[in-house]
């Protein structure tokens, strides 16, 4: 039987930004879901010196695919090599290298080279990632060329609430988002689909308009992560998570949301005199208000159920 064909691809793009900025965006893989459209979630499995082992989830061809990759970072050479230990369904093997070169006129040249064998010997370019790579590079170029204001464009909102009730009830409330309309303030409609267990697509209507997201649900880990795929106004990217952490005294629920502002929307949405500081404040208040309301409702959902079962009070819930 002949050996499977080894395919090679090369992508390159010039970016009007320092090479160190471009390299930093590639090296910080855990923030790819926030910055890059195809990526949904990146989990750091192992970190040892310059080596990383990551599990990655991304949208490809209308579906969510995942793989495990091992990367070696070389910041001095601005070079990252990678090899997939567990491949996606489209390939039997995959390895490659990211390389960033500083150009004489201040820009950077980014090159991505890959070698792979296609699953079952069939080559389908979109299925082995070319479309995602093009989207990734376009996003990276846009972000890197705004490097001087990138820190101002990123807004982080974090909330924590304590719950005197079972973690399963808290997690269940967050998981069953189809029940939110009429319960979560401002949410007027939700369409939720879960064709693959643990992978949800969510369309939401609220005061900010329509938005869509992909959610990955890990019930055994008490974790739900999400990536907004149709951002509302003022937002170019958003990702986050809810974690439900039980302990002997109760449950801690944490929410973390990160948003990349779309600075081109600021004047249209907030007025000609508004700036990035106004947009940051507006988005932080909107996201924070929704996050706090959702966590409080999850708390009340669990604690009210406990009260109904233990009329003498919450201390008997466990």
């Amino acid at each position: 039987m002949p050996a499977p064909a080894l395919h090679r691809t090369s992508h390159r793009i010039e970016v009007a930004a320092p090479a160190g900025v471009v390299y930093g965006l590639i090296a910080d893989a855990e923030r790819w879901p926030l910055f890059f459209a195809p990526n949904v979630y990146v989990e750091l499995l192992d970190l040892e010196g310059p080596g990383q082992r990551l599990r990655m989830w991304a949208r490809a061809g209308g579906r969510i695919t995942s793989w495990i990759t091992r990367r070696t970072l070389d910041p001095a050479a601005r070079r990252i090599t990678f090899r997939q230990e567990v491949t996606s369904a489209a390939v039997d093997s995959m390895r490659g290298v990211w390389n960033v070169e500083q150009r004489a006129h201040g820009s950077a040249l980014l090159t991505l080279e890959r070698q792979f064998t296609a699953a079952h010997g069939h080559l389908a370019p979109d299925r082995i990632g070319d479309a995602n790579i093009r989207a990734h590079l376009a996003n990276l170029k846009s972000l890197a060329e705004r490097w001087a204001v990138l820190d101002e464009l990123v807004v982080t909102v974090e909330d924590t609430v304590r719950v005197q009730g079972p973690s399963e009830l808290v997690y269940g409330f967050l998981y069953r988002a189809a029940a939110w309309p009429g319960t979560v303030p401002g949410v007027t409609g939700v369409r939720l689909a879960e064709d693959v267990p643990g992978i949800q697509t969510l369309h939401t209507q609220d005061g900010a308009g329509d938005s869509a997201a992909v959610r990955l649900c890990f019930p055994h880990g008490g974790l739900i992560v999400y990536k907004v795929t149709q951002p509302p106004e003022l937002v170019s990217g958003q990702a986050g998570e809810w974690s439900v952490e039980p302990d002997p005294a109760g449950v801690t629920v944490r929410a973390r949301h990160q948003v990349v502002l779309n600075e081109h929307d600021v004047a249209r949405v907030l007025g000609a005199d508004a700036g990035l500081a106004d947009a940051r404040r507006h988005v932080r208040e909107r996201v924070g208000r929704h996050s706090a309301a959702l966590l409080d409702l999850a708390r009340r959902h669990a604690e009210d159920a406990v009260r109904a079962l233990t009329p003498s009070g919450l201390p008997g819930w466990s």
Side-chain angles (χ1 to χ4, degrees), residues 30-278:
E30 289 181 273
R31 291 221 289 178
W32 283 11
L34 175 64
F35 289 146
F36 305 127
N39 299 94
V40 175
Y41 181 49
V42 177
E43 179 185 8
L44 178 62
L45 300 176
D46 190 27
L47 179 63
E48 184 175 349
Q52 296 177 329
R53 189 166 174 263
L54 307 166
R55 183 166 185 185
M56 314 183 85
W57 286 260
R59 294 185 298 151
R63 297 187 300 173
I64 301 297
T65 185
S66 70
W67 62 95
I68 294 176
T69 190
R70 187 174 291 277
R71 308 199 311 171
T72 301
L73 280 61
D74 185 347
R78 301 191 189 97
R79 179 183 176 91
I80 300 172
T81 58
F82 64 89
R83 174 179 60 84
Q84 289 186 8
E85 292 185 348
V86 178
T87 62
S88 66
V91 298
D92 287 332
S93 67
M94 172 74 74
R95 64 174 62 240
V97 58
W98 296 89
N99 192 61
V100 186
E101 301 174 42
Q102 182 69 61
R103 310 286 271 185
H105 52 284
S107 66
L109 180 65
L110 170 62
T111 304
L112 170 60
E113 296 180 344
R114 300 183 303 157
Q115 298 181 13
F116 63 91
T117 55
H120 313 297
H122 299 303
L123 176 62
D126 286 348
R127 292 190 63 215
I128 51 83
D130 277 2
N132 275 8
I133 289 170
R134 290 191 294 270
H136 189 116
L137 294 181
N139 286 166
L140 189 146
K141 176 179 172 67
S142 176
L143 280 167
E145 290 181 348
R146 293 179 287 167
W147 67 274
V149 296
L150 187 55
D151 286 344
E152 295 180 67
L153 294 177
V154 177
V155 178
T156 301
V157 177
E158 296 181 305
D159 280 305
T160 302
V161 67
R162 286 288 294 172
V163 181
Q164 298 300 311
S167 60
E168 294 83 0
L169 289 176
V170 179
Y171 187 90
F173 178 86
L174 297 172
Y175 174 80
R176 289 187 288 272
W180 290 356
T183 302
V184 178
V187 176
T188 57
V190 170
R191 287 186 290 114
L192 185 145
E194 189 171 348
D195 297 329
V196 177
I199 300 177
Q200 299 179 338
T201 57
L202 188 69
H203 292 81
T204 306
Q205 294 175 316
D206 58 26
D210 296 348
S211 65
V214 174
R215 306 204 313 172
L216 304 180
C217 305
F218 305 94
H220 296 298
L223 180 68
I224 298 174
V225 301
Y226 75 90
K227 162 66 176 279
V228 173
T229 56
Q230 181 186 320
E233 60 185 15
L234 282 178
V235 174
S236 65
Q238 181 172 340
E241 64 180 49
W242 296 274
S243 62
V244 181
E245 306 165 9
D247 59 58
V251 174
T252 299
V253 189
R254 304 182 193 278
R256 187 170 192 265
H257 313 277
Q258 286 196 295
V259 174
V260 180
L261 298 176
N262 181 352
E263 71 269 40
H264 304 298
D265 272 357
V266 174
R268 179 182 62 82
V269 175
L270 300 181
D273 295 332
L276 276 180
D278 301 293

